[in-house]
């Protein structure tokens, strides 16, 4: 009896216990952290936990806003005026492969204006503001993709090769890992055939566009249903769109990122009211999207299984005022059903236990491409600014959202809000556990899930604080705009949110795109040569998956050592990559300042040159 009372008290005050536990963790990071990252993260854990322990009784949603239609129209006019100006700035950019720094600043200003629109809006403006959030997301994402002639990053080349093979052979190739998880590739193939456009444009109009629109719409629906407040729903969609990890994955072809759409939809179907005539339809849709998840990526299946088991576990401890559990929305049947279906499909695909283990490990191990990108023989040095620039945006996002998580967990009388509060914690905890024990995990994918789930608690906190300020004085709108502009700038211009403009980027940042001149140079040498090509690590996916060329050497270590080996291969020297190595401080002093002169002094003959690359023999 006493034990049951203690357990009930613990669960009723779980937010307080978690805040105390967070303080302990932060002190452990201060005392035993091996790098500045641990110290920064310790601070960003300590602050929200302290704030919640001190002010937890002052967080509530009973706020009344005075809608100002005239002020809303002014903000709306400013939004589209600056947005149009920004499109013109992007179109007239002086550097072909770089968005102007002013463009990023204006994107941040647009974000601040949009948040104030949300605060001054009424229900008839919902679709208009959702449309503005979508076009903001499109501008942030597509501006980084459409300015380049081909794919960005590494994995995009791999997935585009699968799409190309499907188009050429009219069936799914069997030699790829993703041959058993073809949903994303089949969608791109369908759009390519229907619209008769390139694979790149097809991926933008299907994958990227689908991620932005569906995520925005269903995050709004989920947040609005949970908190019964359309303004928090709009803020949730906004904060998801400007999240730096979400920005990165919104313009790259990643099946695990695309699969998050189905997770958000399933969460909405689970949390929404499933009674009445729609109950059976909701069940059918839930099963359908679960099948889509299983066919998308093993990591997405792991995400979904985690979420379902977390919901089933914590709802068993949820008490309403009568200490009953009549408000259950999920039972153990659903996670067990999904897990069995997933495991059954994986078992069907695997001929051996090792193959099955490899499928499961895809949820926790870096992609093959990530392991074979650069082989420098040394680590790229990070200075203090590099570390802060890399970690502060995401950690700041998490730090503020954690206060909202505590608020959600404190809502014992609102079971759905209480349950949702636990969901973002686990994708944050799992990568850190792997990191602390020296094990590998694809941290960024787990952080993407965490950021998407955290956007709702984050919007709740901004709504509470912004509402309290606005209720005191109308002039606080200016303060809110400034805060949102700074916050948005940190997200949009972060290392993950911005890969083309290096005005405020860390020295260690590497450009992940190829220019038109480089592609022309590749076309020339591939068509003319049968010899081995020596290239940097970022060129390998292009050669391997775009040109199906496997006859290459990787020469990254030679840039570092300054010893370019005479091995009877063609040396492809990309000017952008050499500048990257020089900025990072790892380019050999023997090569600086001009690698072309160095190659000529080293008795190499120049056989081809354009503005993007030079080829030596």
């Amino acid at each position: 009896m006493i034990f049951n009372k203690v357990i009930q008290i613990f669960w009723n005050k779980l937010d307080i216990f978690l805040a105390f536990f967070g303080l302990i963790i932060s002190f452990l990071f201060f005392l035993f952290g091996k790098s500045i990252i641990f110290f920064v993260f310790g601070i960003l854990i300590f602050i929200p936990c302290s704030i919640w322990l001190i002010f937890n009784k002052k967080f509530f949603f009973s706020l009344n806003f005075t809608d100002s239609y005239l002020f809303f129209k002014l903000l709306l006019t400013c939004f589209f005026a600056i947005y149009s100006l920004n499109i013109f700035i992007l179109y007239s950019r002086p550097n072909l492969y770089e968005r102007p720094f002013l463009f990023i600043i204006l994107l941040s200003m647009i974000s601040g204006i949009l948040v104030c629109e949300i605060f001054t809006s009424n229900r008839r403006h919902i679709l208009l503001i959702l449309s503005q959030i979508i076009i903001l997301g499109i501008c942030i994402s597509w501006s980084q993709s459409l300015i380049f002639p081909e794919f960005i990053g590494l994995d995009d080349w791999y997935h585009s090769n699968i799409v190309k093979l499907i188009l050429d052979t009219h069936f799914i190739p069997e030699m790829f890992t993703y041959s058993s998880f073809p949903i994303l590739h089949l969608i791109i193939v369908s759009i390519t055939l229907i619209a008769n456009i390139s694979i790149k444009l097809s991926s933008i109009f299907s994958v990227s566009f689908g991620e932005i629109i569906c995520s925005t719409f269903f995050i709004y629906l989920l947040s609005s249903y949970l908190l019964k407040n359309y303004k928090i729903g709009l803020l949730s969609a906004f904060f998801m769109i400007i999240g730096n990890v979400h920005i990165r994955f919104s313009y790259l072809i990643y099946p695990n990122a695309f699969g998050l759409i189905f997770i958000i939809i399933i969460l909405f179907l689970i949390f929404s009211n499933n009674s009445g005539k729609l109950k059976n339809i909701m069940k059918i849709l839930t099963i359908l999207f679960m099948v889509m998840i299983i066919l998308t990526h093993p990591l997405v299946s792991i995400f979904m299984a985690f979420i379902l088991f977390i919901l089933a576990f914590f709802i068993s401890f949820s008490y309403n005022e009568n200490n009953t559990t009549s408000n259950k929305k999920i039972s153990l049947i659903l996670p067990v059903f999904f897990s069995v279906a997933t495991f059954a499909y994986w078992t069907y695909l695997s001929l051996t236990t090792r193959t099955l283990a490899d499928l499961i490990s895809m949820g926790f191990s870096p992609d093959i491409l990530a392991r074979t990108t650069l082989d420098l023989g040394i680590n790229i040095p990070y200075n203090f600014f590099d570390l802060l620039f890399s970690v502060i945006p995401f950690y700041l996002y998490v730090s503020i959202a954690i206060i909202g998580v505590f608020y959600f967990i404190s809502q014992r009388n609102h079971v759905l809000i209480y349950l949702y509060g636990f969901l973002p914690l686990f994708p944050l905890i799992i990568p850190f556990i792997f990191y602390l024990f020296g094990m590998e995990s694809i941290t960024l994918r787990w952080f993407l899930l965490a950021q998407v789930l955290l956007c709702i608690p984050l919007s709740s906190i901004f709504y509470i604080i912004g509402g309290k300020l606005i209720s005191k004085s109308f002039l606080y709108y200016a303060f809110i705009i400034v805060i949102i502009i700074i916050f948005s700038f940190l997200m949009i211009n972060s290392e993950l949110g911005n890969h083309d403009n290096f005005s405020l980027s860390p020295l260690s940042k590497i450009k992940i795109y190829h220019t038109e001149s480089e592609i022309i140079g590749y076309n020339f040498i591939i068509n003319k040569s049968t010899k081995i090509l020596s290239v940097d690590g970022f060129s390998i996916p292009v050669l391997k998956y775009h040109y199906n060329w496997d006859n290459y050497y990787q020469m990254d270590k030679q840039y570092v050592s300054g010893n370019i080996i005479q091995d009877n291969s063609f040396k492809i020297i990309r000017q952008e990559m050499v500048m990257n190595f020089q900025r990072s401080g790892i380019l050999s002093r023997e090569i600086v300042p001009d690698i072309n002169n160095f190659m000529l002094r080293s008795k190499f003959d120049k056989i081809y040159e354009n503005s993007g690359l030079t080829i030596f023999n």
Side-chain angles (χ1 to χ4, degrees), residues 123 222-232 416-417:
R123 288 189 174 275
L222 176 60
S223 180
S224 300
Y225 181 81
L226 283 176
L227 299 163
K228 303 299 185 287
N229 188 307
Y230 72 93
K231 291 185 178 180
I232 296 179
L416 297 183
I417 298 176

Side-chain angles (χ1 to χ4, degrees), residues 65-68 71 75 112 115-117 119-121 231 469-470 473-482:
F65 293 92
T66 303
D67 299 334
S68 174
F71 188 44
L75 292 171
V115 169
C116 279
E117 279 189 54
F119 277 115
T120 58
S121 66
K231 291 185 178 180
L469 292 175
I470 294 171
S473 172
F474 197 73
L475 296 176
Y476 275 108
Y477 273 112
F479 177 75
I480 293 173
I481 289 179
V482 172

